[in-house]
Amino acid sequence: METTLGFLDYLQYSVAAFLTLCVFSFLWRDNVFYKLAEAIFVGTSVGYTLGLYYKTLAYPRLVLPLFYQGKIHYVLACVLGVLYLTRFSRKYGWLSRWPMALLIGFGSGMTIPYAIQAQVFKQLSASMLPLWSSAGFEFNNFLIVLGVLCTLFYFFFSIEHKGKLVKIPVRIGIIYIMISFGATFGYTVMARFALLIGRINFLWYTWLGSIFGFHA
Amino acid sequence: MFRRQIPLALCFIMGVTMMIHFFIKHPFVQSDMLNEASNFATVIGLFAMFLGIYSLTRVHWMKIRHRRSDWFFSYLLFAALLNMAILGNLIGTGADTPFQWFYDAFMVPLQSTTFSLLSFYMASASYRAFRAKNFEATVLLIAAIIVMFGRVDVGPWLLPDTSVGNIPVPGVNELSNWLLFVPNNAASRGIFLGIGLGSIATAFKMILGIERTYLG
Amino acid sequence: MLRINVRYVYLIVFIAVTIPMIFQPNLPTVTSPSVEMLYKEIESLPRGSRVILSLDYDPSTEPELQPMAEAILRHCFRRGIRVFGMTMNLQGQNLGTKVFSKVAKAFHIPDDGTMYVYAGFRVGPVLLQMGEDIIETFQTDFVQRDLRSLPMMQGVKNLRDFELCISLSGTSIGYSWINWPGTRYGKKIALGVTGVLVTNYIPFLQSGQLVGLLPGIKGAAEYEHLIGYEKGRGKQAMGSQSAAHLLIILLIIVGNVIYFMGRREERRQGQ
């Protein structure tokens, strides 16, 4: 179903295309167009957060409970929040440590049980794979178990990596890590180019395509 | 006492409370207490947002006042900021609003294009910097090439699964899958176990007051 | 040769990406196990099930993740599965409303809260709060309608009323989905992530903590292929993606060949 585009849609695409080309101009060298795009980018990003601040952030979490649901104890949260702003004061800046300490405690306390359960226990149990089954020797499982052990060995810095007994698993661990980094690099290339392809798609099909009447 | 002991005590109390809540399945602890603690942390964070906005505003105001280089662009930054903030708060942030229009015209192209520049730098680095100087680097590059080739349509098309006589020969797609699910899986898991244990240890140190860098 | 002006390399990249974009070569798509797992999971859900689709991305990762969102939504709507949309990324809030309205229009689904609800962004530890009371956590949808008044949310209290949680993100928010809804509330979790993060989440796929993983733009293209949607942005990008990858491989090989030839020449001159 094709939608009819109005003047504002064409204007929007053209502005977006202009700003896209301004950012791409940085590949040639730093110039006034890039600086223009950069300033607008920073201003728009911060303004976006401010634009959503009251309705999306402050109202449901502070205004509604405090003024409409009668939760008076939220005044304490406001006081703690204001204490955060004392960070800019040389004399009273130490007061900002109180809300910061609460946030750090909250985050740390939440992290510990879930990290233990999801990241340590579950991952450890998933590493305990059968090396022999009714189908015979499970080579892939053996490689996984070997890889996990050798990788952990590599990161064990409490003893020196000397002697064959230590050096061999460390070397195997390095090879596994290099394969993992190589795979990550391969996928990173995909990710970065996907962004570029998205912009070229916009310039060609959305902007020029809407003006000259062609599509994918 | 107010500058160090009280923040440490607050961090400890909050941290222990959040850890303990994981083990107490009473509805009050799981629902009401968790909600209130979460909302308190959120409200403190709402005030913290103003710290960043104040810093940004101050830097650019000083730039304008002292006529430092590119001071004119700071005016543009403020204009973009105020534009989004006013539109969002006064008119609304819904689907067919001016706020959405400016979001699509300014923010989406600028943010996407800025990150898409990385693809060009990646291409230039591939040509000028990625060298198979030793065995480990060679393993990394080979793994990267296999994943890059196998994870796009052209790879499996050029090198599909085949067989030599009765011996199956995996294509590049199968090879890249194996690389990801066996050696990469093992190495990533080893790294994550290390990260998980490290984050647990750091969280404990923060709650117990051994790690005090957040106090400044 | 190694000291070539880097702008020539940029130009070659631009040409390599643009030409396939214009001519759209049609190469066959081979699907991977992690994508097929998510497809089968959604196929197995009965009609009328509820699914959470969290669009935890912003414009910087939109080209990779929005095609995934569109493909998953198309699949869900085709199967009559109801979708609760949300986001944990403030800057992506307005992206979500676009994809929901686009796909709903294609399936002639009205925005009356029957088949989908888009709640937008809420600040705070939302994943924990949703596990206890999702209505209290969000209260209204993106256009400020009370969630309690929407047909899809009747009888919904918390995460237990949803069969599957899918998060699409370019950040480490996936770990939070695995830790909290996945581990604490035992929900099935599937992720769609940018290419940079794929290798990090594969251990969770193998351990069974994830029921599916869409890896980057290729994952989007594969999912579009599985649902038979050939006009998706994922599929459109595959020609250019193939050319880009071949270019990078070529640049690496050529760069290394020139480097080693140069070193051999230096050694010969030194002798």
Side-chain angles (χ1 to χ4, degrees), chain B residues 90-106:
Chain B
L90 292 184
I91 298 177
T93 59
D96 293 314
T97 56
F99 185 82
Q100 176 80 41
W101 192 95
F102 277 97
Y103 176 81
D104 288 332
F106 286 164

Side-chain angles (χ1 to χ4, degrees), chain C residues 11-141:
Chain C
L11 183 62
I12 293 168
V13 167
F14 187 77
I15 293 168
V17 166
T18 308
I19 290 177
M21 175 63 62
I22 296 168
F23 294 105
Q24 292 286 317
N26 194 12
L27 294 166
T29 301
V30 177
T31 52
S32 51
S34 60
V35 176
E36 286 168 7
M37 281 168 69
L38 176 59
Y39 176 80
K40 283 176 189 158
E41 187 63 42
I42 294 181
E43 277 288 302
S44 69
L45 293 175
R47 208 170 178 77
S49 303
R50 289 188 196 93
V51 153
I52 290 180
L53 180 62
S54 189
L55 310 174
D56 305 327
Y57 54 87
D58 57 19
S60 66
T61 48
E62 182 268 348
E64 269 192 289
L65 299 171
Q66 192 102 319
M68 284 183 202
E70 202 178 315
I72 291 171
L73 270 177
R74 284 179 177 273
H75 192 194
C76 287
F77 288 158
R78 199 182 68 191
R79 296 227 59 245
I81 291 167
R82 296 177 285 180
V83 181
F84 180 84
M86 56 176 278
T87 177
M88 308 272 289
N89 192 320
L90 177 64
Q91 296 199 338
Q93 185 173 235
N94 289 62
L95 288 174
T97 189
K98 277 172 67 175
V99 74
F100 269 92
S101 62
K102 179 185 172 187
V103 180
K105 217 182 260 183
F107 281 81
H108 308 290
I109 293 172
D111 183 17
D112 59 1
T114 319
M115 282 303 295
Y116 75 93
V117 168
Y118 181 62
F121 174 81
R122 288 296 178 274
V123 67
V126 166
L127 295 178
L128 275 177
Q129 292 174 314
M130 278 166 62
E132 300 303 323
D133 193 339
I134 202 168
I135 305 283
E136 182 63 34
T137 306
F138 287 93
Q139 292 166 8
T140 58
D141 71 352

Side-chain angles (χ1 to χ4, degrees), chain B residues 89-168:
Chain B
N89 284 298
L90 292 184
I91 298 177
T93 59
D96 293 314
T97 56
F99 185 82
Q100 176 80 41
W101 192 95
F102 277 97
Y103 176 81
D104 288 332
F106 286 164
M107 201 150 143
V108 171
L110 285 169
Q111 204 168 354
S112 314
T113 316
T114 304
F115 281 87
S116 74
L117 289 179
L118 291 165
S119 56
F120 293 100
Y121 302 138
M122 189 163 261
S124 125
S126 300
Y127 181 64
R128 304 207 292 191
F130 294 152
R131 299 283 173 258
K133 278 186 182 164
N134 51 36
F135 176 68
E136 286 85 7
T138 310
V139 168
L140 191 150
L141 284 177
I142 291 172
I145 287 170
I146 291 172
V147 169
M148 276 192 281
F149 200 49
R151 293 281 99 196
V152 284
D153 288 350
V154 75
W157 183 62
L158 286 174
L159 292 176
D161 295 345
T162 182
S163 60
V164 175
N166 287 331
I167 305 167

Side-chain angles (χ1 to χ4, degrees), chain B residues 21 30 34-35 38-39 42 93-95 100 103-104 107-108 111-112 115 120-121 123-124 126-128 130-133 141 145 148-149 151-154 156-157 173 177 180-181 184-185 188-189 192, chain C residues 1-2 4 6 10 13 27-30 32-33 58-60 91 94-95 98 123-125 129 132 142 175 184 199-200 202-203 205-206 218 235 238 241-242 245-246 248 251-252 255-256 258-260:
Chain B
H21 109 274
Q30 292 297 317
L34 179 64
N35 265 339
S38 306
N39 285 341
T42 306
T93 59
Q100 176 80 41
Y103 176 81
D104 288 332
M107 201 150 143
V108 171
Q111 204 168 354
S112 314
F115 281 87
F120 293 100
Y121 302 138
S124 125
S126 300
Y127 181 64
R128 304 207 292 191
F130 294 152
R131 299 283 173 258
K133 278 186 182 164
L141 284 177
I145 287 170
M148 276 192 281
F149 200 49
R151 293 281 99 196
V152 284
D153 288 350
V154 75
W157 183 62
N173 183 52
N177 277 338
L180 288 164
F181 283 92
N184 164 70
N185 180 18
S188 295
R189 180 166 290 150
F192 272 114
Chain C
M1 270 291 282
L2 285 175
I4 188 175
V6 75
Y10 298 161
V13 167
L27 294 166
T29 301
V30 177
S32 51
D58 57 19
S60 66
Q91 296 199 338
N94 289 62
L95 288 174
K98 277 172 67 175
V123 67
Q129 292 174 314
E132 300 303 323
F142 187 66
Y175 298 124
R184 182 187 162 98
T199 52
N200 295 356
I202 286 182
L205 194 65
Q206 192 259 326
K218 180 68 165 50
K235 187 72 183 149
M238 278 297 107
Q241 198 76 49
S242 299
H245 282 213
L246 287 175
I248 295 291
L251 287 172
I252 290 173
N256 276 282
I258 293 172
Y259 170 74
F260 284 111

